[in-house]
Structures are given as structure tokens and as C-alpha cells.
Amino acid sequence: MSLTSAYQHKFAEKLTILNDRGQGVLIRMYNIKKTCSDPKSKPPFLLEKSMESSLKYINKKFPNIDVRNSTQHLGPVHREKTEIIRFLTNYYQSFVDVMEFRDHVYELLNTIDASQCHFDINLNFDFTRSYLDLIVTYTSVIFLLSRIEDRRVLIGLYNCAQEMMHGHVDPSYARLSQMVLEYDHPLKKLTEEFGPHTKAVSGALLSLYFLFVRRNQGADQWRSAQLLSLISSPPAMINPANSDTMACEYLPVEVMERWIIIGFLLCHGCLNSNNQCQKLWKMCLQGSLYITLIREDVLQVHKVTEDLFSSLKGYGKRVADIKESKEHVIANSGQFHCQRREFLRIAVKELVTVLTDEPGLLGPKALYAFMALSFIRDEVTWLVRHSENVTKTKTPEDYADSSIAELLFLLEEIRALIRRHIKVIQQYHLQYLARFDALVLSDIIQNLSVCPEEESIIMSSFVSTLSSLNLKQVDSGEKFEFSGLRLDWFRLQAYTSVAKAPLHLHENPDLAKVMNLIVFHSRMLDSVEKMLVETSDLSTFCFHLRTFEKMFAMTLEEPTMLRYAIAFPMICAHFVHCTHEMCPEEYPHLKSHGLHHCNSFLEELAKQTSNCVLDICAEQRNLSEQLLPKHSATTISKRKPGAESHRKNRSIVTNMDKLHINLTELALTMNHVYSFSVFEHTVFPSEYLSSHLEARLNRAIVWLAGYNATTQEIARPSELLAGVKAYIGFIQSLAQFLGADVSRVIRNALLQQTQPLDTCGEQTITTFYTNWYLESLLRQASSGVIILSPAMQTFISLPREGEQHFSAEEFSDISEMRALAELLGPYGMKFLSENLMWHVTSQIVELKKLVVENMDVLVQIRSNFSKADLMASLLPQLMGADNVLKRMTIIGVILSFRAMAQEGLREVTLSVFELASAAGVGCDIDPALVAAIANLKTDTSSPEEEYKVACLLLIFLAVSLPLLATDPSSFYSIEMDGNNNIHCLTKAVIQVSAALFTVYNKNIETHLKEFLVVASVSLLHLGQETDKIKTRNRESISLLMRLVVEESSFLTLDMLESCFPYVLLRNAYREVSRTFHLNRVPTSTH
């Protein structure tokens, strides 16, 4: 073949285009196979019962289907022909693409054979690689086609619908159907077709021999050679890492295995005739049980090869070789690769450490970085495809690695280093190209004995392009583009590899060596990202998700591997690289897989980290609890100070030690990277951790409260606050280690606890404490089991058997109210206040009903309260006087508790309840109570009637006060500064009346004076009572008059003096004190 025709054949361009096209066709075949094997995604009419007989008929008669004379068999197809064409057009055209691809491949392979091209991976790397890639890609396409079980039905069904709709068969159908039939047994046909190409293929494969031997060395040989070590020879540390075959150094072993296995499978004739071919083939058979065709579709190497060779004459020895090789793989390959992974963990860790410390070395030693990436990828992909496919084995440990996370992490570390220091790499290699490569290439060109014009033009352009480079281009951020130069070198390889070329590349190896070096250096300027994909892409995990998840689970179970677990979500970013423009419908599924697994991995890591943090918090809280005052006596009596810190034996690992070690590892993994991208999404690991920490902290706070609705048990606010502070203190100490915004986590969690429900809809401590204080403490206070002691500013439990199981003072003293306010905050206390107000207003509603029932009598009493004779007949007519006093006492108890809670809040935070308080003005009228009563207004009664009821309510209370004297428990206790909570009546009277008359816009002072007068007259009438039972606690009840005045800013002692002489109060105090001391004398004497 002449040189001119070599130029015209455009081998470089055709190989480039066909390889890319072949990948697209291969992915389309894979997609059709995947779609048709899943009932969920299969074309719907292939599953319809009505179509079943038609599909069987098409499959049986394929390819000769008589559409016109088979209406009884193809009736359903006729009815759905439009839908069938719409659905199957893409499928059919994909099969047509396979046929056209096949035509182009054979045309090119025949032309290459006719040109007698010379292939050598060490010289014309691009030409040889593209040639072998094309053969493997084409073979993989045919294998995938033969694995689509419904291929005949899909093609035949489409053609039937096409003929029914247009009256003629598709023009491609005859050849396509014939091709499908020929490849029912693909290897048989392929071996026939590739017989003529044996010389070219075997020549290309033999050039791999020494490279393949070198790349398949064991860990011991790697260790002896100190592979990937930058510090093994310190003087040579800054020397450039070069090779005569740069691209071969990071060529994937899996790719070479595919070439060798498939190449010798198709061109097996040379195995019996060429000893070197036989050695290479046997060596390859001893490496893997499976090779990848595409994604998770594999070729079972030994089975397929044995099946083929068993059917051929004269291949008995080769079959024996295959069986021997298989036994060797099963016995040795697992340990072989395990040792290599172990070596890589140590060697690459050293490499990463050195390059991190001295990133300038990435210039001369960039090749080492890419070699490390390629070696790791080789080991990971071998492990993945074998652990996925080897299901029955006596040595399962050969196909599992609990330390795989470290390799994945190191791979990501090198990728990050290269990206981070891209300018260092560019500056170094730009100077290398301009100041060394260009000069060496120029010398080699001048020394060429023969140099045709076309080749001379190409090589001269290389020199001029390289010579024009300068460092300013890197500094200015200019984008480099050397793809044209590399394509020209590819063309030059093709021109100089044909038999009749004047300039033979194999006769000028120096030219090949320097050009291979230039190609690598140019890629360091413009294609670093593509190089990273080429050497370290692990998108294979997208199709081995079960193995991926299993590896992640093993990592979480291995404490020493936890720090590397972040590699798993980061690997999900690789999934975008397995997409192809010829199969866009895959993109959403691949994106979904990537995001889902990235999300699930980060969720699990965040969950584990937050669990660990909260477990340590729980331990810290236990230690904090031991410091509470209630434990001080036992702690001091049992231990010497500091005894708890003394560790008898350092080898004893405590639970706290284990938790801290785990947390250290998890913190390293969660804080390793700030963000990364998966498809178009930017992922922030710290946000996952923040979210989980917040949710766990919320649950922990609720758990610390220990609320039990059945038994009405709950933790004391002060103890809960101490526990929460222990939790928060520890979490705050982790701020710089976790990478999460712990201040925001704590703020959000505590803020959610001030609301009735958190963001998950769960009840919070605000709800629990509100329910508990209302249902337990205040309910028992209403029944007199618990009383309010103004002197102690707390509620106190009275000693009664079987009444309550808690001490009220432990939940309601000043310190507890402060703690409650600090826990619930202004929002929580507002919620508590609103619930208290609801109970107050419900009591007011009942009081109004009682007033309405006694309306007529109360009107008369109001007019005649000073007339003793008339009052004597009116008072017995009142119904429910005891009920009025009881309900008013309940209101007083609730308002007293609310006042204590408000006071606690004022001491821990700003009072922000109302405008007056915010302005610093004292408020005599409770705004919340006014608002609550205002909301009670009904449409059935007029404002005048409501106002009248309010006035009569005060009268009802005033005339009912003497009834309290008959109750034995109404006796005033000097110790407690109160009695059975009737002293709370005064707060209820003052605040409720102030709120009522504010709502009705009336004068508060006037009505309180009226109450004071009526109450005074009622109590003075009690002084004239002769029945001792009715006057039993008259003095104690009289003291309420002073409390009324003290409680209200609208009343004064002068007003009280005018209607109830102070001397009566003084005498009452003296009598109460005397009685109290008399009652105590017998007890103290006894």
C-alpha cells in the first residue's frame, strides 16, 4: 500500500471516532438488556397476556414473518401497531447502530490488515491501544447483543408493526435479522471473522509481554523495588520521574487483561504456533476469574475459553492449561491481591505524606501520583468484580477487605492534592516542554535519515508549538489546548506504522520515546482532570451497589477504618463519569443512585457520630449528677478526694476510652472535607452532622426530663438543667473537631424545647413541664394537699398518706423556678402562662354561672349588706358559696404559681412579655389575664350584663368569706405564713377584679373599695356570732383583709382602717400566734 493511501485512510481519525461510537453503542446494548430484564421497565406490551401468542409466533418464525397471511396470530400487534412503533423505535435503531458499527469496524480492520501495520505498545502507544480497544469494544457489543433475550422479539415485532403501518418492511431488516441469527453463538462467528487478523492482533498483544509481566509483579517485588517511594533515594528526589513508555506506566491492568483474553479468544490460532503468545495468555489466565465487558456485565474467563477450545480439534493441551490456570487463580490470586493492597496502603500513605509536606515535588514526580492512582484502581476493581461474582468459595476472606476504605481514602487524597496544586504541575511541565522537550525533539528530527514532507511538517509544528510556551501563560490562568498536537502525533504513528512507509517508527525508537514524554507533559497542562478520570475513576461502584454498601458496612465495624469512611460518599461523585451522550436516558437513574448512596452514607456517618457524641454526653451527665448536692454526703463518706481519677491498670480500657477513640476517628472523617459535588449538587458533610446532632440533642433533653404521663414522674428542673449544661458543655468543647456549627445546633435544639412541639412533631420539655405542673402540683394544691408558703416562696407538701409521691418544695422553690425559666425560656414560659390562663378563665366562666344563678339575691345583698337583720335572711338563700370560694382559691393558687414562674424568668432573662414591662414601667394589671378574659366575651349577653355579673361576683366573694372560718384547715400558720391556700384568695380577688373592670373600662379602685367594705361588714358580723364552730378560725380569716390591701396598689391601709379597724388585725395576729405556740408546746414537751 502506498504512503499516499496511508494518509487517505485516516486511521487515527477513524479509530478515535469508532472507539467513542463503539462505547455509545455498547452502553445502548447494556441499557436495552437491563431494561428488558426488569419487568418494571420492560415495554408494557411484552408483558400483556393478549400479546403472548403473537410474541411466541414472531420468535418462532423470525426472521421470515409473513405479516399479510398471519392475521390470526398478529391481530393484537395490528391493534397496537402505533404504540409498538413509538416504544420500539429507539430499540430498533440501536440494533441498526450495532450493524452499522460492525460494518465500519470490519472495513477498518481489513484496511489495517491490507496496510500491514506494525503495532507496538511501547512505540506507537495510541495507535496500538486504539486498535486493541476497538476489537474489545466490538466483541463486547456482540456479547451484549447475544445476551439480550428478547432481541428477536423486539426486532421482529417492530418490523411487523412497520409493515402493517407502511406496507413494506424496514430496509435494514433483512441484514439486521441475519446478523442477529449469526451471533446467536457469538464466539463461533467472531473467531471465523477474526481469523485473517491473527497476525496483526497477535503482534499487538505480544508487545504487551514485558509490560504485563512487570505490572503483574507481587507485593514482595514491589517492596524490593521500593515502588512509589520518593524518599528511598534522597539525592534523586527532585529528579523527574520519566519512562520510555510514560502512558504504559498507568495503563490499567484490567484493560490489558481484556485485550489479551479477548484477543487470543478471537485469534486463538497463534496459541499453538507461537510459544511467546502461549506464555502471555497463560499468565493472563492466572490473574482473574472474571473480566469486565461493561459495568457489571462480565466474561467468565476460564469457562468461556474452555467451552470454545473444547469444541476445537488440537486444543487438548490448551484446555489443560485453562484448568490448571483456574486452579492457580482460585488458590493464589486472593492472597496475591491482598498483599498488593497491603503494600499500597503503606506506600501510598508515605507518598501522600511527602507530597502534602512538599507539594513542589508534584512537578517532577507527577507520574508517581498517577501510577499510585492507577494501581489502587486496579486492586479495587479486581476486588469488586470478584466479590460480586464469586459466590461459592472455600476462602471468602480472599474476596473481602475490611481495610478497603483506607485505599479509597488515599485515592481521594491524591486526587485532591493534584487539583489543589495544579499550578505547580503546570509551571513545571510547561518549562519542561519549552526548555527540554522542544530541543530534544528538534535534534532527533534533524538526525532522521528519511523524513517525508507530511511527517516533516507535523514534527516541525510540534517544535514550534512547544518552543512558544512561557510561564506567563500559567500565571495569567490561560487555558492550554494540546489535543491537536496529540492527534497529530496519533496520525504520525499511523503514517509511520504501515509496511511501505519511508519513515518507520520502529526504526526510530528515540522519536517515539520523546513524543511519548511530550504527550504526558502536554496532558499535565491541559488534561489533568481527564487524566484523573482515566487513572482513578471508580464509577464501577455505581453498578456494584451491593458490594459498595457491604464495604461501607465493614468499614463502620472496624474502628481503625472509621477515619477513612468519608471516602465512600466522595466516591459517589465519580458516578457522573459513566454517562454517555448516546444514552441520555440513563442520566437520571445514575444521578439518583449517586445522590441516594452519597446521602445514605453521610446520614449513617452523621448518625454514628452524633450517637457517639451523645453517649459521651450521657457519661458526662452521670459524672455531673454525682456532683449534685443530694449526692455530696455519700460521695464524701465513701471515697477519698481524687480516687475516681486513679486508674489501677492502664491496659484496662473503659467505656469512655472507647467512646473517645471512636469519636476521634468519626470527627476526622466528618471534618475531612468541607464540601464536594455529586452530579450538580454540592454536598456539605457538616450539615448532615448538624442535623443529626440537633435531633439527637432534642431527644436527649426530653429523655433527661424523664416524664412519665402514667405515674406523673418528672425530673426536677434544677437537675435537668445541670444535665443539659453537662451535655451542652461537652458539645461546645467539640466545636473545632467536628466541623459542625455546634453553636447553631445547641441554639436550635434549645429553642425547639421552648416550643410545645419540636420540628419532628414530638412533645418537648415545655409541654411536659406545663402538663406536670398543671396536672400534678397545681391539681393537688387545689385540693389542699399542697399549700403555698409565702414565707418560703414555695409550695409545700402536707404530710398525708397515699396522696402524692413527690415533695412540692423540690419543684417550686426559687432555685427550681429559675431553672425552669432557664430551660423553657421566654417562649416556653409564655406557653406555660397561656395554659395557666386557660385554667383561670375556665374557673371564671364557672364563677359567672354561679353569680347568674344567685343574681336576684346578690342584687339585694349589694343594696342591704349593712342591714344585719335582712342579711341574716338573704345569706342562707345563696347557693354554691363554698364553690365560689373554692374556685376563687384555685384561681389564686394558679396566679401565685404564675407569679413565681414569672419572677424566675425575670432573674434569668429580660422580661419581654408586654410593652409596659419592656418599657420598665411597673404594671398593676396583668395584661395576659386581661387578654384571656376579653376573649371570653359572648354574643348572648350585653356588656352591661357582663359588667353587672363582675360587680356581683365581688359581692358574692365578700359575703362568703365568713364561711372559711368553719374550716379547721383555715388556721393561719406562722411558719408558713399562710393556711390551706385561702391566702391565695387575695391575689385572685385583686388580679381578677382589676382585669375584669379593665375589660369593661370601669374604675377598679371604686369596686375594690366596695369589696373591702362588704367583706369588712361580713367579718364584723362574724364577731357577733355565738356559734363557736362558725367562728373557729375567725382571726385567721380576718388577716385576709390586710393581705387584700398589700396585694393591691389600688387600696391603702387608710381605706382599710375606715371600715375594718387595725386593732382587730393586731388582736387577730396576737391570737393566732398564741394559739400556734400553744399547739406546739405539747409536741415539744413530748
Side-chain angles (χ1 to χ4, degrees):
M1 181 177 286
S2 67
L3 183 60
T4 308
S5 62
Y7 296 148
Q8 291 170 349
H9 285 314
K10 300 187 180 296
F11 289 143
E13 292 87 338
K14 286 180 180 178
L15 282 168
T16 303
I17 294 167
L18 278 178
N19 269 313
D20 182 60
R21 179 76 175 175
Q23 277 301 310
V25 170
L26 182 57
I27 288 173
R28 288 214 61 81
M29 288 300 102
Y30 168 87
N31 192 48
I32 292 172
K33 175 179 172 286
K34 195 85 171 171
T35 304
C36 291
S37 61
D38 185 359
K40 293 178 183 176
S41 56
K42 206 170 187 175
F45 38 79
L46 295 184
L47 299 170
E48 289 175 10
K49 200 74 177 170
S50 59
M51 292 285 288
E52 195 173 323
S53 60
S54 301
L55 299 179
K56 285 181 179 178
Y57 178 79
I58 291 170
N59 197 36
K60 182 181 178 183
K61 295 292 184 180
F62 184 88
N64 303 313
I65 306 163
D66 189 351
V67 175
R68 294 177 185 176
N69 299 322
S70 305
T71 50
Q72 61 177 11
H73 294 291
L74 301 176
V77 176
H78 192 274
R79 286 194 296 274
E80 295 191 39
K81 58 180 181 290
T82 307
E83 196 69 9
I84 288 169
I85 286 178
R86 187 175 69 82
F87 256 97
L88 295 187
T89 299
N90 276 344
Y91 289 76
Y92 185 81
Q93 290 304 324
S94 298
F95 290 124
V96 172
D97 286 343
V98 172
M99 184 178 70
E100 291 176 351
F101 175 62
R102 172 177 175 262
D103 294 342
H104 289 298
V105 167
Y106 279 128
E107 181 189 343
L108 181 59
L109 291 179
N110 289 332
T111 309
I112 288 173
D113 262 8
S115 303
Q116 298 178 2
C117 292
H118 175 264
F119 294 103
D120 188 337
I121 197 76
N122 302 298
L123 299 175
N124 49 10
F125 176 86
D126 300 302
F127 192 37
T128 304
R129 176 170 189 169
S130 297
Y131 177 72
L132 293 172
D133 274 347
L134 184 63
I135 292 169
V136 167
T137 302
Y138 169 67
T139 308
S140 301
V141 169
I142 299 302
F143 272 121
L144 261 289
L145 173 66
S146 68
R147 291 180 183 183
I148 300 172
E149 292 181 2
D150 295 318
R151 60 189 180 279
R152 293 187 179 195
V153 170
L154 292 170
I155 295 168
L157 187 59
Y158 176 86
N159 187 63
C160 288
Q162 169 83 8
E163 189 171 347
M164 289 172 182
M165 183 168 278
H166 301 291
H168 59 83
V169 297
D170 186 82
S172 307
Y173 177 70
R175 288 188 63 232
L176 180 59
S177 58
Q178 185 59 36
M179 182 189 78
V180 169
L181 289 175
E182 286 175 354
Y183 291 117
D184 269 350
H185 303 287
L187 268 179
K188 185 180 178 183
K189 179 67 176 173
L190 284 168
T191 51
E192 289 174 11
E193 292 172 339
F194 272 86
H197 307 305
T198 299
K199 184 181 177 184
V201 173
S202 61
L205 293 176
L206 278 175
S207 70
L208 292 169
Y209 187 87
F210 293 106
L211 172 63
F212 192 71
V213 170
R214 181 160 54 87
R215 290 294 299 278
N216 273 280
Q217 290 176 342
D220 291 336
Q221 290 166 295
W222 280 358
R223 202 171 282 111
S224 301
Q226 294 189 310
L227 187 72
L228 301 178
S229 177
L230 297 180
I231 56 177
S232 59
S233 175
M237 191 180 285
I238 60 171
N239 293 352
N242 286 338
S243 162
D244 292 343
T245 54
M246 293 292 276
C248 293
E249 303 305 323
Y250 51 83
L251 179 65
V253 171
E254 185 188 5
V255 169
M256 288 191 277
E257 284 183 336
R258 265 202 302 269
W259 291 344
I260 295 166
I261 294 295
I262 291 176
F264 285 130
L265 204 56
L266 302 180
C267 306
H268 50 76
C270 58
L271 292 177
N272 286 335
S273 58
N274 189 316
N275 193 42
Q276 195 83 342
C277 286
Q278 197 182 114
K279 282 183 181 178
L280 179 61
W281 173 71
K282 282 179 70 175
M283 194 192 315
C284 190
L285 284 178
Q286 292 174 358
S288 299
L289 289 168
Y290 298 88
I291 59 166
T292 303
L293 293 177
I294 178 163
R295 298 173 177 175
E296 80 270 28
D297 267 284
V298 294
L299 194 68
Q300 201 168 344
V301 176
H302 302 86
K303 184 180 183 302
V304 171
T305 313
E306 187 178 343
D307 288 348
L308 176 66
F309 287 5
S310 297
S311 64
L312 301 173
K313 287 183 180 180
Y315 280 81
K317 289 184 179 180
R318 302 293 78 80
V319 171
D321 290 339
I322 293 166
K323 290 177 179 177
E324 182 188 330
S325 298
K326 185 177 182 179
E327 288 171 6
H328 181 275
V329 174
I330 293 170
N332 302 303
S333 66
Q335 278 305 304
F336 176 81
H337 286 280
C338 181
Q339 289 167 8
R340 283 175 38 139
R341 290 195 300 274
E342 188 59 43
F343 169 81
L344 285 173
R345 273 193 281 274
I346 297 166
V348 178
K349 189 186 288 185
E350 177 194 293
L351 179 67
V352 168
T353 304
V354 174
L355 291 179
T356 303
D357 189 53
E358 293 293 341
L361 289 174
L362 272 170
K365 303 297 184 183
L367 179 63
Y368 276 32
F370 289 104
M371 285 170 64
L373 291 175
S374 182
F375 292 175
I376 291 173
R377 204 258 304 268
D378 280 339
E379 292 309 311
V380 171
T381 52
W382 185 93
L383 184 65
V384 168
R385 70 177 183 271
H386 283 80
S387 60
E388 184 85 9
N389 292 290
V390 179
T391 52
K392 295 179 181 179
T393 174
K394 294 178 182 178
T395 54
E397 65 277 4
D398 287 350
Y399 306 107
D401 188 352
S402 59
S403 303
I404 194 67
E406 187 174 359
L407 271 185
L408 300 179
F409 181 84
L410 291 170
L411 178 131
E412 287 295 333
E413 279 287 85
I414 295 177
R415 286 165 63 97
L417 273 171
I418 290 171
R419 286 181 176 132
R420 194 180 308 133
H421 302 295
I422 185 72
K423 282 205 168 184
V424 171
I425 296 170
Q426 286 183 329
Q427 287 174 342
Y428 181 87
H429 287 96
L430 182 137
Q431 294 177 81
Y432 209 124
L433 284 166
R435 299 178 185 176
F436 180 80
D437 290 340
L439 301 176
V440 173
L441 180 61
S442 179
D443 288 345
I444 289 172
I445 294 169
Q446 289 172 9
N447 293 330
L448 288 174
S449 55
V450 180
C451 189
E453 184 181 354
E454 184 74 18
E455 284 83 339
S456 176
I457 293 169
I458 291 175
M459 289 189 281
S460 300
S461 71
F462 292 165
V463 175
S464 60
T465 300
L466 300 180
S467 303
S468 64
L469 296 173
N470 63 78
L471 276 175
K472 289 181 181 178
Q473 291 172 280
V474 176
D475 298 334
S476 63
E478 182 181 323
K479 284 192 175 182
F480 296 97
E481 180 54 69
F482 292 103
S483 57
L485 180 146
R486 290 191 289 271
L487 181 58
D488 279 343
W489 167 231
F490 192 175
R491 290 187 181 110
L492 195 60
Q493 290 174 54
Y495 299 161
T496 56
S497 297
V498 297
K500 294 185 179 179
L503 175 66
H504 285 286
L505 197 58
H506 62 87
E507 294 173 357
N508 297 277
D510 289 342
L511 174 61
K513 290 174 187 176
V514 75
M515 282 309 301
N516 284 334
L517 199 62
I518 289 170
V519 166
F520 177 78
H521 293 162
S522 71
R523 295 193 75 180
M524 292 298 98
L525 288 179
D526 70 343
S527 301
V528 169
E529 200 60 43
K530 287 180 182 176
M531 282 279 287
L532 288 175
V533 174
E534 187 181 318
T535 54
S536 63
D537 172 44
L538 288 176
S539 58
T540 184
F541 278 120
C542 188
F543 310 99
H544 298 90
L545 295 172
R546 190 168 58 87
T547 302
F548 199 27
E549 290 165 2
K550 198 186 295 181
M551 287 178 171
F552 180 69
M554 287 171 65
T555 299
L556 295 185
E557 291 169 8
E558 188 68 38
T560 56
M561 289 294 115
L562 286 174
R563 65 172 61 193
Y564 308 120
I566 192 65
F568 286 91
M570 291 176 75
I571 293 293
C572 295
H574 296 206
F575 292 4
V576 72
H577 300 136
C578 56
T579 58
H580 196 280
E581 59 187 10
M582 278 185 71
C583 197
E585 60 266 34
E586 272 194 329
Y587 187 84
H589 303 296
L590 299 175
K591 179 179 176 181
S592 173
H593 283 316
L595 291 173
H596 169 73
H597 279 78
C598 176
N599 184 61
S600 66
F601 291 150
L602 285 173
E603 287 281 357
E604 186 59 33
L605 286 172
K607 179 183 170 184
Q608 296 252 6
T609 309
S610 59
N611 285 351
C612 193
V613 170
L614 270 294
D615 286 347
I616 298 176
C617 284
E619 294 279 353
Q620 294 286 350
R621 180 251 180 179
N622 291 339
L623 295 173
S624 171
E625 190 178 26
Q626 292 174 27
L627 299 175
L628 290 175
K630 66 180 182 180
H631 297 302
S632 57
T634 53
T635 304
I636 292 169
S637 63
K638 286 182 179 178
R639 296 181 184 175
K640 293 180 181 179
E644 70 280 354
S645 303
H646 181 66
R647 193 193 296 264
K648 293 178 182 177
N649 188 340
R650 190 66 195 88
S651 63
I652 297 172
V653 179
T654 65
N655 185 47
M656 201 70 145
D657 292 335
K658 292 176 184 175
L659 288 171
H660 274 100
I661 290 168
N662 268 9
L663 182 58
T664 304
E665 300 293 314
L666 287 164
L668 284 170
T669 204
M670 291 306 291
N671 204 17
H672 174 68
V673 61
Y674 176 69
S675 68
F676 58 92
S677 295
V678 179
F679 287 80
E680 308 93 64
H681 295 256
T682 303
V683 179
F684 296 87
S686 59
E687 289 303 310
Y688 285 82
L689 180 56
S690 297
S691 174
H692 273 269
L693 263 181
E694 188 178 312
R696 277 303 311 273
L697 184 56
N698 264 322
R699 292 201 296 272
I701 293 172
V702 169
W703 174 79
L704 287 173
Y707 179 62
N708 187 323
T710 308
T711 60
Q712 285 297 310
E713 293 175 356
I714 199 165
R716 292 172 62 183
S718 58
E719 291 180 7
L720 174 58
L721 182 62
V724 169
K725 283 184 175 178
Y727 270 65
I728 290 171
F730 180 71
I731 292 173
Q732 283 176 328
S733 71
L734 299 175
Q736 59 183 328
F737 305 110
L738 289 179
D741 186 352
V742 296
S743 298
R744 189 187 73 194
V745 168
I746 294 167
R747 191 167 58 246
N748 288 354
L750 293 180
L751 187 60
Q752 284 181 53
Q753 290 303 314
T754 67
Q755 304 299 316
L757 300 174
D758 62 18
T759 51
C760 300
E762 300 292 328
Q763 291 186 327
T764 62
I765 58 170
T766 294
T767 303
F768 292 153
Y769 275 107
T770 299
N771 291 344
W772 187 86
Y773 276 106
L774 283 167
E775 298 300 324
S776 288
L777 192 139
L778 294 178
R779 188 178 291 278
Q780 294 190 36
S782 304
S783 60
V785 179
I786 293 172
I787 65 168
L788 174 67
S789 170
M792 300 180 189
Q793 296 187 42
T794 184
F795 284 89
I796 296 176
S797 299
L798 295 179
R800 293 186 186 180
E801 291 184 12
E803 290 289 342
Q804 83 277 344
H805 49 265
F806 65 91
S807 176
E809 51 269 38
E810 290 185 354
F811 289 85
S812 58
D813 65 14
I814 294 173
S815 61
E816 297 302 328
M817 289 295 101
R818 288 174 184 169
L820 183 69
E822 196 166 343
L823 286 167
L824 270 54
Y827 291 116
M829 295 301 276
K830 184 172 184 288
F831 177 77
L832 174 63
S833 175
E834 287 169 353
N835 276 269
L836 293 171
M837 282 304 163
W838 182 88
H839 282 75
V840 168
T841 52
S842 65
Q843 295 295 340
I844 291 174
V845 169
E846 295 302 317
L847 286 170
K848 285 183 176 181
K849 289 178 182 177
L850 289 169
V851 171
V852 172
E853 288 175 12
N854 293 279
M855 180 78 77
D856 296 336
V857 180
L858 288 171
V859 169
Q860 292 181 57
I861 290 174
R862 189 181 188 189
S863 305
N864 304 295
F865 66 86
S866 58
K867 299 173 184 178
D869 297 338
L870 192 55
M871 286 292 286
S873 62
L874 289 173
L875 286 174
Q877 296 179 35
L878 286 174
M879 295 183 296
D882 288 335
N883 203 356
V884 168
L885 290 170
K886 185 178 181 182
R887 291 187 181 280
M888 209 63 180
T889 303
I890 290 171
I891 291 175
V893 169
I894 293 172
L895 291 176
S896 297
F897 174 76
R898 180 170 174 271
M900 291 164 63
Q902 297 263 14
E903 189 58 36
L905 183 63
R906 287 190 188 93
E907 294 189 20
V908 297
T909 184
L910 290 173
S911 178
V912 291
F913 288 108
E914 307 294 342
L915 182 61
S917 303
V921 180
C923 199
D924 299 321
I925 304 162
D926 189 334
L929 187 54
V930 171
I933 292 174
N935 290 333
L936 287 177
K937 285 184 177 180
T938 58
D939 298 330
T940 54
S941 55
S942 64
E944 291 76 15
E945 289 175 355
E946 291 284 330
Y947 167 61
K948 183 181 178 182
V949 169
C951 293
L952 294 177
L953 175 59
L954 285 184
I955 299 299
F956 204 163
L957 281 166
V959 298
S960 300
L961 286 178
L963 296 176
L964 295 172
T966 61
D967 186 353
S969 61
S970 295
F971 178 74
Y972 179 81
S973 168
I974 292 175
E975 275 186 336
M976 297 183 183
D977 190 22
N979 28 33
N980 62 339
N981 287 332
I982 60 172
H983 52 287
C984 297
L985 263 174
T986 57
K987 183 177 282 290
V989 169
I990 297 304
Q991 293 204 13
V992 170
S993 58
L996 282 169
F997 296 120
T998 299
V999 170
Y1000 305 129
N1001 201 20
K1002 301 296 180 181
N1003 189 288
I1004 300 168
E1005 185 178 328
T1006 303
H1007 292 86
L1008 283 177
K1009 280 181 181 178
E1010 182 183 17
F1011 168 79
L1012 203 59
V1013 171
V1014 176
S1016 299
V1017 170
S1018 299
L1019 291 176
L1020 289 172
H1021 285 165
L1022 188 63
Q1024 299 169 7
E1025 184 64 57
T1026 55
D1027 188 345
K1028 287 188 177 182
I1029 295 176
K1030 290 184 178 180
T1031 61
R1032 180 186 295 171
N1033 287 312
R1034 183 183 63 192
E1035 289 77 11
S1036 296
I1037 303 307
S1038 299
L1039 296 178
L1040 293 177
M1041 299 307 292
R1042 180 184 176 108
L1043 293 178
V1044 169
V1045 175
E1046 286 180 350
E1047 187 67 40
S1048 174
S1049 61
F1050 298 101
L1051 301 175
T1052 64
L1053 285 173
D1054 290 340
M1055 294 178 188
L1056 179 62
E1057 182 70 27
S1058 64
C1059 55
F1060 194 85
Y1062 191 77
V1063 66
L1064 295 177
L1065 288 174
R1066 190 167 60 245
N1067 291 339
Y1069 273 118
R1070 187 173 61 247
E1071 182 61 27
V1072 166
S1073 178
R1074 187 179 68 80
T1075 307
F1076 177 77
H1077 287 297
L1078 283 174
N1079 289 340
R1080 291 192 63 180
V1081 169
T1083 308
S1084 58
T1085 304
H1086 177 69

